[in-house]
Amino acid sequence: AADKNTGAQATAPTGVKPVDGKNNGIAKGFAHTEQGAQSAAANYAVALSSDAMFRAETRHRIVAAVYAPEVVTARQGDYDQAYSGERAVKIGLKADGTAPSGLTFVSRTNPAGTKATAYKDDTATVAVWYSTLFGLAGESSKNPVSEGWYTSTFQLKWVGDDWKVTAFSQKDGPTPVGRDQAASSAKDMSDAVQGFGGFTYAR
């Protein structure tokens, strides 16, 4: 992850910087290697599952940043339909994708691991296994924050100087056994989400 004070990029275990910067807040400049493709997929999984996808302006920036140019227009249309005002309202948000007063919207992905299932010089297939936190934190929430586990498989293409998504699919699990832990209060969950930032993920 980048150091918030200096802006310096963290290094991978090899000592090599995993990315060279950010594009609309999303890591960019991944290495033209199998590990670089895995890092790209992990970061793109986070971006494509974030709360920003529920707001038109930020959703369009994310899709433009992570998808290959030839599929951006089609994907924008798909995502606009999937994250429309009607869907937002169904999960308790306002039509513009923002949370009602007194509630904190949570949509966060936490990668647990990546695996390249195919790799060539300019194409890669990468599976990302991750947990999600999704819901509305707050005393009046009718959709409290819950955890889920998924695996998304990304088709990636080397475009110019970075990995870009051409397609991806998602399936449930693998899901671990839940521990006997009491759920946190709505306030604790809201405070945690607002107080703990996300990471730049690197293989």
Side-chain angles (χ1 to χ4, degrees):
D3 186 302
K4 291 183 179 180
N5 295 317
T6 66
Q9 293 293 330
T11 57
T14 59
V16 177
K17 289 182 179 179
V19 296
D20 67 9
K22 292 196 173 183
N23 178 11
N24 286 314
I26 304 167
K28 71 177 185 68
F30 297 97
H32 194 177
T33 63
E34 184 175 313
Q35 288 192 349
Q38 291 183 58
S39 294
N43 282 278
Y44 296 163
V46 171
L48 290 169
S49 300
S50 69
D51 59 351
M53 289 293 289
F54 284 80
R55 301 185 299 277
E57 181 182 351
T58 50
R59 176 172 64 248
H60 291 171
R61 289 202 299 262
I62 290 170
V63 174
V66 308
Y67 275 93
E70 66 269 22
V71 299
V72 166
T73 300
R75 295 294 80 78
Q76 289 284 23
D78 292 342
Y79 282 115
D80 283 344
Q81 185 174 3
Y83 291 89
S84 67
E86 182 180 343
R87 185 189 175 203
V89 171
K90 283 183 179 179
I91 64 173
L93 297 173
K94 297 178 183 177
D96 64 359
T98 59
S101 178
L103 296 176
T104 300
F105 179 44
V106 183
S107 184
R108 184 176 294 191
T109 284
N110 308 292
T114 60
K115 176 175 66 175
T117 58
Y119 181 80
K120 294 182 180 179
D121 284 346
D122 293 327
T123 61
T125 303
V126 178
V128 182
W129 179 41
Y130 56 90
S131 65
T132 62
L133 297 173
F134 187 86
L136 287 161
E139 295 298 336
S140 62
S141 175
K142 296 179 181 179
N143 182 20
V145 179
S146 61
E147 180 185 34
W149 285 86
Y150 304 92
T151 298
S152 285
T153 300
F154 290 84
Q155 304 296 325
L156 300 172
K157 176 182 178 181
W158 186 256
V159 180
D161 59 357
D162 215 347
W163 290 105
K164 298 293 182 180
V165 179
T166 56
F168 87 96
S169 59
Q170 183 192 71
K171 65 179 183 180
D172 290 350
T175 304
V177 174
R179 296 189 64 182
D180 186 17
Q181 291 180 295
S184 297
S185 69
K187 182 180 185 306
D188 285 347
M189 183 61 68
S190 179
D191 288 348
V193 170
Q194 294 179 29
F196 289 89
F199 290 98
T200 295
Y201 291 87
R203 187 74 168 99

